[in-house]
Amino acid sequence: MILGNQPYNAFGGNYSCVCSDTGSAMLCLIDYIRAHGGEKTALYGVNPASLADQERLACFETYCNKEDVYFNDQSLQDCFRQFCSAADQYDAVICANDLAAVSLVRRLREHDQNDRRLIITSCSGSRLLSRFAPQVIPVSLHFGDFGRGAVFVCESIVKRPYISALCVKIGCKIQADASRGAPVFQPAPAPGRLSSDGEFQAMLRIETMLELCDQTDLQLLDGLLQGKSYQEISDSCFMAVNTIKYRVKKLMRACGVESKKDFVALLSPYMQ
């Protein structure tokens, strides 16, 4: 049995699968955009090497124009450059994944474009993306639903020996409020094609680190990003300086950096 974000039968052979209903998620986003006045929508950050993105693309082209697709072929910067030249004609954007959404909002801010006039949506709901709420509206897939789907598949096959394989597709829901916090299923990016994109890799390292954070860690990160010293953070959080240093060092290791200066430099473009 395979649990994941890849469409059923992506690998050939006869196996059971619990996967996200990518087509349903796309339709959910398109319906949401149209219900909120969106008339012309772009699909942004499509990875040509991702099977899940190919399914999103096929669904998008059923309801929207294929000329409004912007591919992320190893460079989010190039993807934005192509989109930016036509951005004024869109009132909504569906981002193929959360990292593309974070990159888009960050670059719109840098270019002093009014990103708030756009309805920006994403196909999942990572912790890094939550820093950009409510500007980006995601759909979410929960770990628990995948687990329940796996149990259902196992029980069904045991009770019905004539069934050789089952596919269970997990539905999604729009997360339109800014108080998101429940753990969500964050699909791993397709390997290879994006490995040379420094921006993509930086966001992936930050997301990995955020998965380890509790609320206290997030407070410490906010303090560092505000330029506070360890002592100043200690005074505001009522925590010993050595404890703060220990926690920060653990988060730095998760990001693969060795100095506080490099840590803050990595986080600042995406978390301030």
Side-chain angles (χ1 to χ4, degrees):
M1 183 191 304
I2 293 179
L3 280 70
N5 195 46
Q6 303 299 341
Y8 176 64
N9 213 21
F11 308 105
N14 186 35
Y15 59 89
S16 294
C17 179
V18 180
C19 60
S20 56
D21 191 345
T22 305
S24 173
M26 283 296 296
L27 185 57
C28 183
L29 290 173
I30 291 170
D31 287 345
Y32 177 88
I33 287 169
R34 290 179 175 174
H36 288 78
E39 296 181 357
K40 189 170 178 60
T41 303
L43 179 60
Y44 182 89
V46 175
N47 176 7
S50 167
L51 294 174
D53 278 10
Q54 291 305 310
E55 192 171 355
R56 293 185 183 102
L57 177 61
C59 182
F60 180 84
E61 290 181 346
T62 300
Y63 300 97
C64 305
N65 298 320
K66 63 181 180 180
E67 293 82 8
D68 298 321
V69 178
Y70 296 87
F71 289 93
N72 177 19
D73 193 0
Q74 302 189 57
S75 173
L76 286 166
Q77 182 175 358
D78 289 346
C79 183
F80 179 76
R81 188 179 296 116
Q82 296 170 24
F83 172 78
C84 194
S85 63
D88 289 341
Q89 63 182 288
Y90 298 109
D91 45 30
V93 182
I94 296 175
C95 296
N97 58 68
D98 287 359
L99 302 189
V102 169
S103 175
L104 174 61
V105 174
R106 187 174 73 87
R107 291 182 183 278
L108 286 171
R109 289 175 178 173
E110 289 176 351
H111 284 72
D112 295 322
Q113 295 199 26
N114 184 15
D115 54 300
R116 291 185 182 274
R117 72 174 178 80
L118 285 169
I119 301 172
I120 302 177
T121 63
S122 180
C123 292
S124 52
S126 67
R127 292 180 180 272
L128 180 57
L129 187 68
S130 68
R131 307 284 296 198
F132 292 82
Q135 289 174 274
V136 183
I137 300 165
V139 296
S140 64
L141 297 166
H142 290 258
F143 277 119
D145 294 336
F146 280 77
R148 284 184 284 274
V151 171
F152 172 79
V153 170
C154 291
E155 290 179 344
S156 298
I157 291 177
V158 168
K159 291 178 180 178
R160 302 167 181 84
Y162 53 85
I163 297 177
S164 62
L166 282 176
C167 174
V168 173
K169 289 191 174 184
I170 303 300
C172 65
K173 64 179 181 179
I174 291 281
Q175 282 190 308
D177 84 45
S179 59
R180 300 189 301 274
V184 297
F185 175 74
Q186 175 61 13
R193 293 291 291 273
L194 297 177
S195 60
S196 62
D197 188 340
E199 182 183 6
F200 183 91
Q201 290 301 317
M203 289 188 288
L204 198 57
R205 288 158 65 193
I206 294 170
E207 178 63 23
T208 300
M209 180 268 297
L210 288 174
E211 289 293 334
L212 303 175
C213 289
D214 58 20
Q215 197 58 42
T216 300
D217 291 326
L218 295 176
Q219 287 182 287
L220 302 184
L221 292 177
D222 286 338
L224 290 176
L225 290 169
Q226 292 167 20
K228 293 181 179 179
S229 66
Y230 285 134
Q231 186 59 58
E232 289 171 326
I233 297 173
S234 173
D235 294 340
S236 61
C237 294
F238 305 103
M239 187 182 300
V241 170
N242 285 341
T243 301
I244 293 172
K245 288 181 177 180
Y246 173 79
R247 281 178 170 262
V248 170
K249 190 172 183 179
K250 177 188 69 174
L251 300 178
M252 287 167 52
R253 282 199 302 268
C255 284
V257 296
E258 296 184 357
S259 72
K260 186 174 77 168
K261 180 180 178 181
D262 290 343
F263 188 45
V264 172
L266 173 68
L267 300 182
S268 293
Y270 306 101
M271 293 185 63
Q272 281 191 323

